[in-house]
Amino acid sequence: MTHLRIRDAVPADRDLIADWMIAMAWETEHKRLDPDTVRAGVAGGLADAARSRYFIAMREAEVAGNETIAVPAGTLMFNHEWSDWRNGDWWWIQSVYVAPEHRRQGVYNALHRHVADLARATPGVVGLRLYVERANTPAHHTYAAQGMHDAGYSILEREF
């Protein structure tokens, strides 16, 4: 029997999360990320909860002798955006990745539910937001199943 447990990521998870972010960028946007930059970015996020917070979904299974093994199955990170319109924080879901062998098994749903429950229990949080690459149709369906909808905005950027 297996079940999912969501835990806070720790500094020792840096390389796993970075590898997953590199894989996600390639799978979804065919972008090659610099591994050193991503590792430094993940380390920076893990070191400062005001900057971001990462979670790891662990698939736990009982094996012979009542021993439990736990395997990382996916990750999700969020950060904060202050809204003067609402006098509260939006939590932006980012850096979502589910390892291929764990997809379509409720891993993202468990991560999303965990963060949504935390957000509802945190005073001053007004909601969850995320952005998704336009052509990533499976992700759009997954997020819609969690009650997310198109907010009517386009994201513009200027990279430095």
Side-chain angles (χ1 to χ4, degrees):
M1 180 166 188
T2 68
H3 75 279
L4 290 169
R5 175 177 56 89
I6 309 302
R7 66 169 176 79
D8 285 295
V10 297
D13 294 314
R14 181 200 69 175
D15 290 345
L16 172 65
I17 294 170
D19 289 347
W20 280 348
M21 294 308 93
I22 291 165
M24 182 264 302
W26 179 251
E27 288 177 27
T28 61
E29 300 179 40
H30 293 288
K31 288 186 178 179
R32 293 196 190 280
L33 302 180
D34 177 64
D36 291 336
T37 301
V38 176
R39 280 181 180 68
V42 171
L46 288 167
D48 185 356
R51 191 178 266 170
S52 65
R53 190 162 172 199
Y54 289 88
F55 298 95
I56 304 285
M58 301 296 293
R59 183 168 299 286
E60 296 182 333
E62 287 185 23
V63 294
N66 292 329
E67 182 182 344
T68 301
I69 61 167
V71 176
T75 189
L76 178 153
M77 181 266 285
F78 76 83
N79 56 28
H80 309 261
E81 175 192 19
W82 176 253
S83 172
D84 55 354
W85 286 12
R86 293 174 179 85
N87 189 30
D89 281 318
W90 285 100
W91 282 7
W92 277 86
I93 293 172
Q94 298 186 56
S95 298
V96 173
Y97 189 78
V98 176
E101 64 273 20
H102 298 284
R103 291 179 185 166
R104 311 305 310 160
Q105 297 175 42
V107 174
Y108 175 75
N109 292 343
L111 285 161
H112 185 101
R113 195 169 37 253
H114 182 78
V115 170
D117 289 348
L118 284 173
R120 283 187 197 97
T122 303
V125 177
V126 298
L128 300 175
R129 284 186 169 161
L130 57 81
Y131 56 87
V132 59
E133 201 271 328
R134 285 185 188 101
N136 191 345
T137 304
H140 283 270
H141 291 298
T142 297
Y143 299 141
Q146 292 297 324
M148 306 292 287
H149 64 275
D150 185 334
Y153 296 96
S154 293
I155 294 177
L156 307 175
E157 71 179 13
R158 180 177 177 195
E159 199 167 332
F160 298 112

